[in-house]
Amino acid sequence: MTRGTLLFLEDDRDLQSLVSTYLRERGYQVESARSVKEARDVLSRSRVDAAIVDGLLPGMSGTDFIQELRRDEPSLPILFASAFWRDLKSHELLTRQLKVARVLHKPYKPQELLVWVEQVVAPRPPPPPPPESLQPEVERDEDLTAMLAQLNGEYGARLGDKVREFSGLLERAHAGAAGALEDAFMLAHKLHGTAGSYGFVHVSAAAGRLENLLRPVRDGEKAADWNALRTAARELGQLAQRALSPHPPPLPKPSDGTSASLLGTVLVADEDPQWLAEVEHMGRERMVRVVTARTEDEAVDAARQQGLDGALLHVDLGQKEGGFQAAARLRGEDGLQSLPLAFFGAQGDVPYRVAAAHAGASLYLPRPFSAQDLMEAVERMASTRRPERSRVLVLDDDPDAVRTLSVALTSPRVEVVGLGDPFRLVESLAEHRPDLLLLDVEMPGPSGFDLCRIVRSMPEWRELPILFITAHTGVEFRVAAFQAGADDYLSKPVLREELRARVHSRLERARLARDRAERDSLTGLLLRRPFLESLRGRLAEALRQDKPLALLLLDLDRFKQVNDTHGHLAGDRVLVRLGRMLAARFRKEDLRCRWGGEEFAVTLLGETAQSARDILSRTARELGRIAFEGEKGETFHVTLSAGIAVASQDGTQVETLLQRADERLYRAKRNGRDRIEI
């Protein structure tokens, strides 16, 4: 007994043979035709359950044949295959006017075709009910509750700006600004669909009323009632203001009993007890936990006993420039090598700021500083302590599915970006640069298989982990999925724990692979290629903000002699030590790279040639004081030379800056080594 009879209209004999053989092996009777005439003959003598029609046929287009076929077979399932019909307008013509069940993009695999044949020939099972395992279970999952509360808070913080943006767009639309009406409608539509999901039910309803008022105006069906629109916009603003009034629901308390709304915990070290008490008071008012210390030893002890988001140190703690010594001790402790640092002091001149930057500080505050200064400093330091969030792009035409998957995956480690339009995938990859793509297989427009192949055809995204979510579990689907380039798949209904486990596993493996590919195994610093990629972005940022960007090329002096005299293991120890110094002595946002051999590169955003030289000079002096041990127990010292180029005075292109820095590095070598040329 056959599973169904198929008309396969395809003029390519080889493809016809391959696909027909495969489908017959899977239990289907295939009536092959290579022309419209042959297809008509098949239809005149056989009843078929579905038709597979190629888009480009001899003597007639596939769409013309489908139009002819629809007169006699208005409900026959049709699959349309083509290498050309890829835009949204064409897809709408095929699916809406010609009632095509699925558009396949050539080249396709027989396994993929079988997936869609089974969809249209066999009775389609009812969609599975919403998986309760993906729904937020507030009472039973404290982690999920905390995550939702955090997401709600973040959305609420942006809600006022969105409402103000809408009011501005409405006024621009009233003034006749091109595109403003469409933008206002889309923003109302997004607020209507999203605000309710975050708990702002009344705001969502008000945005829905605005959406209904704007839709007929946008579609040209009626003139705008500006009074009604302004009244509805005022109502939206009032409801948003009420929703954001100072009585929000309390955040869930963590198990240790501390406040979940703390901005962060920071160590503040200063000899003045009255000033420390004042800073503690500032912290309590701004939900910042302040741990105080009056000496360097107290600061180190405090850091050992509790987790810190950062340390704020007086530059002259205990003695002149004692804060820098305390910073070095703190970062020498296990687990504190990347502790965010900031300094404060009455001395704000250039030498102090240079020393602070060399110590790894991202901020330098005046003394006394304000409560606002404290809050901003803690926000900045806490953000650098948080693990880098991975980004997952979820593509599904069902907005409920996108929301459900987003809730299940979003965490302090994972950020989720939802997308409902498959035609915007390439644009969204460039915009959001995800670390993983979660893809529904069956969508209007290009299928998940097509999109997966598109992604794999782009050199930049060949290594992107791609996971399918599907109701199909058969062997044919799995083969088609992996042939299209997928890494894994999940079967619907998806268990939340399985979803998280698979996604986190793929993200972690991708991160490890990226680290292996981008970082030097000996020093832990970036390799040349990823450094150059990041440098281009930093340079563009510096030029955009009209800030200087210093590029430093460093070279260890007479390093071949070190290897020849003291052994290659001793040379490796020098490289490791310098790599660690570069990693620890500069700001988190500064780029460091092992350029090759004994050469290194560093970028310092916002530093001039002179300040960059002063910063690097401290590292060079520190390196020169270190006694290294050779393979026979002898001690030796090393020095470095460097050349510095600064954008934009030395150029605005990466290649130009590298050339200038390299020229100055070799000038330093010619002038006797152990020097920095600018």
Side-chain angles (χ1 to χ4, degrees):
M1 179 178 177
T2 66
R3 300 174 66 183
T5 301
L6 308 174
L7 167 64
F8 185 29
L9 177 52
E10 167 63 62
D11 70 321
D12 184 325
R13 189 186 302 272
D14 293 330
L15 179 60
Q16 190 180 81
S17 175
L18 171 68
V19 172
S20 298
T21 301
Y22 184 84
L23 291 175
R24 286 175 184 134
E25 287 180 353
R26 294 300 182 269
Y28 290 94
Q29 179 178 335
V30 181
E31 298 288 345
S32 299
R34 296 186 56 219
S35 67
V36 171
K37 181 180 181 303
E38 291 180 12
R40 290 173 183 151
D41 290 342
V42 169
L43 293 169
S44 68
R45 56 182 165 78
S46 304
R47 177 188 173 277
V48 299
D49 298 295
I52 305 160
V53 179
D54 185 52
L56 196 59
L57 300 169
M60 188 182 226
S61 71
T63 54
D64 289 340
F65 174 71
I66 293 173
Q67 285 179 322
E68 175 186 307
L69 186 59
R70 280 290 176 236
R71 289 196 289 268
D72 298 323
E73 299 283 355
S75 59
L76 180 70
I78 298 176
L79 303 177
F80 182 83
S82 174
F84 306 105
W85 294 67
R86 295 178 180 269
D87 60 281
L88 182 59
K89 188 175 180 180
S90 301
H91 180 267
E92 290 179 347
L93 167 69
L94 290 163
T95 56
R96 294 185 181 181
Q97 296 184 28
L98 300 180
K99 301 296 187 288
V100 167
R102 169 61 56 182
V103 180
L104 293 100
H105 299 296
K106 289 185 170 181
Y108 59 80
K109 298 288 185 180
Q111 294 88 346
E112 179 185 346
L113 177 62
L114 179 63
V115 169
W116 304 125
V117 167
E118 290 176 335
Q119 283 265 304
V120 299
V121 173
R124 194 168 186 174
E132 295 192 358
S133 57
L134 283 177
Q135 303 304 316
E137 302 177 15
V138 177
E139 298 80 9
R140 291 178 288 173
D141 193 334
E142 292 184 1
D143 288 343
L144 186 57
T145 302
M147 177 186 68
L148 290 172
Q150 178 186 350
L151 291 173
N152 288 350
E154 292 172 355
Y155 183 81
R158 301 190 299 271
L159 185 57
D161 291 337
K162 292 178 182 292
V163 171
R164 285 187 288 274
E165 180 186 357
F166 176 83
S167 298
L169 287 169
L170 195 63
E171 292 307 315
R172 288 180 57 210
H174 185 221
L181 184 67
E182 175 69 18
D183 291 343
F185 172 80
M186 291 306 301
L187 184 53
H189 174 75
K190 291 174 183 177
L191 283 169
H192 182 203
T194 308
S197 299
Y198 282 98
F200 300 101
V201 179
H202 299 299
V203 174
S204 173
R209 289 190 286 274
L210 276 163
E211 183 182 3
N212 291 334
L213 287 170
L214 285 167
R215 182 180 286 107
V217 181
R218 184 197 67 153
D219 295 341
E221 298 173 1
K222 61 185 292 187
D225 184 344
W226 295 108
N227 289 331
L229 284 167
R230 286 194 177 100
T231 300
R234 281 196 297 272
E235 179 191 13
L236 176 69
Q238 291 165 359
L239 289 169
Q241 187 176 8
R242 187 178 304 165
L244 299 172
S245 64
H247 299 290
L251 292 172
K253 293 182 179 180
S255 57
D256 64 1
T258 60
S259 172
S261 57
L262 273 177
L263 182 61
T265 300
V266 62
L267 169 68
V268 180
D270 191 291
E271 293 177 306
D272 185 344
Q274 290 184 333
W275 170 240
L276 290 177
E278 187 175 340
V279 175
E280 281 187 286
H281 178 70
M282 290 181 196
R284 282 193 295 272
E285 287 187 335
R286 295 295 192 279
M287 301 306 294
V288 173
R289 180 167 174 256
V290 175
V291 179
T292 61
R294 295 178 60 186
T295 67
E296 179 184 318
D297 289 338
E298 286 182 12
V300 174
D301 288 341
R304 288 170 177 165
Q305 294 172 14
Q306 56 210 301
L308 297 174
D309 292 302
L312 193 54
L313 310 175
H314 192 291
V315 291
D316 291 329
L317 182 66
Q319 59 181 328
K320 186 175 176 60
E321 299 194 13
F324 304 135
Q325 179 178 315
R329 278 192 62 189
L330 284 170
R331 283 204 165 171
E333 293 288 316
D334 289 340
L336 297 179
Q337 290 87 350
S338 59
L339 178 70
L341 298 174
F343 291 97
F344 61 91
Q347 300 85 356
D349 53 4
V350 172
Y352 270 86
R353 293 182 182 274
V354 167
H358 173 263
S362 56
L363 286 171
Y364 191 101
L365 303 178
R367 185 184 188 276
F369 49 77
S370 66
Q372 183 65 28
D373 291 334
L374 174 65
M375 187 173 71
E376 290 178 357
V378 174
E379 282 181 337
R380 184 164 177 176
M381 290 190 289
S383 67
T384 64
R385 287 291 274 178
R386 298 185 192 112
E388 184 178 344
R389 295 183 84 185
S390 299
R391 182 172 294 153
V392 174
L393 179 62
V394 176
L395 175 53
D396 196 310
D397 63 307
D398 181 354
D400 292 330
V402 172
R403 277 194 294 271
T404 301
L405 293 167
S406 298
V407 167
L409 285 174
T410 302
S411 71
R413 293 171 52 194
V414 178
E415 172 190 359
V416 180
V417 177
L419 178 65
D421 182 0
F423 290 95
R424 292 191 58 243
L425 174 59
V426 174
E427 173 188 341
S428 295
L429 289 173
E431 179 182 357
H432 300 293
R433 308 199 65 77
D435 300 294
L436 182 142
L437 175 61
L438 202 57
L439 196 59
D440 187 29
V441 174
E442 188 175 356
M443 290 179 288
S447 70
F449 298 130
D450 297 320
L451 295 172
C452 190
R453 278 193 288 268
I454 289 171
V455 173
R456 292 294 182 235
S457 71
M458 304 166 67
E460 186 177 9
W461 299 108
R462 283 177 184 164
E463 304 300 322
L464 177 70
I466 300 177
L467 276 68
F468 280 143
I469 292 186
T470 179
H472 304 285
T473 57
V475 173
E476 292 80 8
F477 165 78
R478 297 199 299 271
V479 172
F482 292 128
Q483 285 179 338
D487 294 288
D488 203 352
Y489 70 94
L490 294 110
S491 301
K492 294 180 180 178
V494 181
L495 293 174
R496 178 162 53 86
E497 292 77 8
E498 181 186 6
L499 173 67
R500 284 180 172 178
R502 289 191 185 235
V503 167
H504 289 168
S505 173
R506 290 287 172 183
L507 287 171
E508 180 63 15
R509 273 196 268 173
R511 184 191 65 79
L512 292 172
R514 189 168 57 247
D515 280 350
R516 284 195 297 269
E518 294 184 352
R519 294 198 174 270
D520 173 51
S521 59
L522 186 63
T523 64
L525 301 180
L526 287 174
L527 294 169
R528 182 181 296 200
R529 181 190 55 78
F531 172 80
L532 286 173
E533 290 174 357
S534 299
L535 174 56
R536 295 184 198 284
R538 297 294 169 86
L539 179 58
E541 178 187 352
L543 296 174
R544 209 166 41 243
Q545 298 177 358
D546 196 24
K547 288 183 176 180
L549 176 76
L551 172 62
L552 296 65
L553 287 183
L554 296 62
D555 186 88
L556 288 164
D557 295 327
R558 299 185 174 89
F559 189 71
K560 184 178 183 302
Q561 184 176 326
V562 169
N563 282 329
D564 293 343
T565 305
H566 306 288
H568 286 275
L569 291 178
D572 285 350
R573 286 193 290 271
V574 173
L575 295 172
V576 169
R577 189 62 177 270
L578 179 56
R580 288 179 179 173
M581 287 175 62
L582 294 176
R585 295 296 183 267
F586 298 102
R587 300 164 298 188
K588 183 179 178 67
E589 60 266 31
D590 295 328
L591 299 174
R592 302 89 153 169
C593 160
R594 185 178 180 191
W595 190 248
E598 66 272 23
E599 286 190 286
F600 295 80
V602 178
T603 63
L604 303 175
L605 181 62
E607 301 296 340
T608 65
Q610 184 60 54
S611 64
R613 179 166 65 179
D614 293 342
I615 292 169
L616 184 58
S617 293
R618 297 176 71 97
T619 300
R621 288 196 296 271
E622 185 177 354
L623 178 68
R625 291 194 294 267
I626 297 173
F628 292 97
E629 184 174 323
E631 60 183 10
K632 298 176 182 177
E634 75 282 10
T635 59
F636 65 95
H637 295 265
V638 297
T639 59
L640 64 81
S641 299
I644 298 175
V646 177
S648 58
Q649 68 187 51
D650 289 318
T652 57
Q653 300 295 320
V654 168
E655 292 74 15
T656 306
L657 294 174
L658 286 168
Q659 182 180 348
R660 298 288 180 272
D662 194 54
E663 291 169 354
R664 289 162 189 170
L665 168 60
Y666 280 94
R667 190 168 72 208
K669 295 285 189 181
R670 288 195 306 270
N671 290 340
R673 297 183 173 83
D674 191 15
R675 58 189 297 121
I676 301 168
E677 293 284 347
I678 59 176

